[in-house]
Amino acid sequence: MKNRHILPLAAVMLVVGILTFGTIFLIPWLPTAAAVEAVRTDQLIWFETIVSGVIFTIVTSFVIYSAWAFRAKEGDESDGPPTHGNTSLEIAWTAIPVVLIAIVAGWSVLVVNRNETAQKVQDVVHVKTWQYAWEFDYPSLGISSGDLHVPEGTQVKLNINSFDVIHGFWVPQFRLQIDAVPGITTHLLFTPNKAGTWYVICNELCGEGHSQMRARIIIQTPADYAAWAAQAQAQATAAAAASSTPAATH
Ligand SMILES: [Cu+2]
């Protein structure tokens, strides 16, 4: 490349780079990450986004600068000079993408593997779905709830069933989703790591009430979670006692 092209090309690259990376970093593209799995997924997404931004900046800058610097003069109807390719350039633009794709593929396998590794200590919750509601049963506590309460820092295993059509269990803050399919039980593992209230959103078009099919997911500190569980258990015991007592007025 001739020296006189280097400075103006660098200037174009600077402008394109600022616009590209401004768009990448100044817009909050991703929702809060509230689980260990979300953090792992986001690291991979950011790696891919930044690499894509660098490649986009280089390619776009060359295209913009070349369209301006090598444009035909007015009235010039002649052919351009013949070009026979450039072997080292072709090797580079083949080898670099191969290496990048290998990195992304390997990294993805690691993320999926780690996300799907069961820990020794787990809370198990049975998720029941139907048009258009969620119910969460806690077999170890003997209670059920319309909100999904989970403690921070402990892996949760969901066993998911549907009683009618296919629904989708999706929590954007976890970057995870799995279908609820009638006739089979599907599973999802996650480890919440940020206390707060988010939503479980149905992610399969399941009927006219689909867009309203949401439940709260409440991530609590272990102490708050234990307090909630104790209160819910006391309520369940009181309700069972009341329903088994014969009513005097009848
Ligand atoms: Cu649904």
Side-chain angles (χ1 to χ4, degrees), residues 167 202 204 206 210 213:
H167 300 280
C202 180
E204 288 287 357
C206 59
H210 164 69
M213 189 169 163

Side-chain angles (χ1 to χ4, degrees), residues 11-27:
V12 173
M13 232 175 244
L14 186 67
V15 173
V16 173
I18 287 170
L19 290 175
T20 303
F21 282 93
T23 308
I24 288 174
F25 289 122
L26 296 181
I27 296 175

Side-chain angles (χ1 to χ4, degrees), residues 138 141 143-145 147 149 220 223-233:
Y138 293 75
L141 302 171
I143 55 176
S144 72
S145 166
D147 299 323
H149 287 255
Q220 295 170 303
D224 286 350
Y225 177 75
W228 167 79
Q231 198 196 359
Q233 276 177 313

Side-chain angles (χ1 to χ4, degrees), residues 89-110:
L89 197 58
E90 283 167 21
I91 289 171
W93 77 40
T94 307
I96 293 171
V98 166
V99 171
L100 285 173
I101 288 170
I103 291 172
V104 169
W107 191 339
S108 302
V109 169
L110 284 178

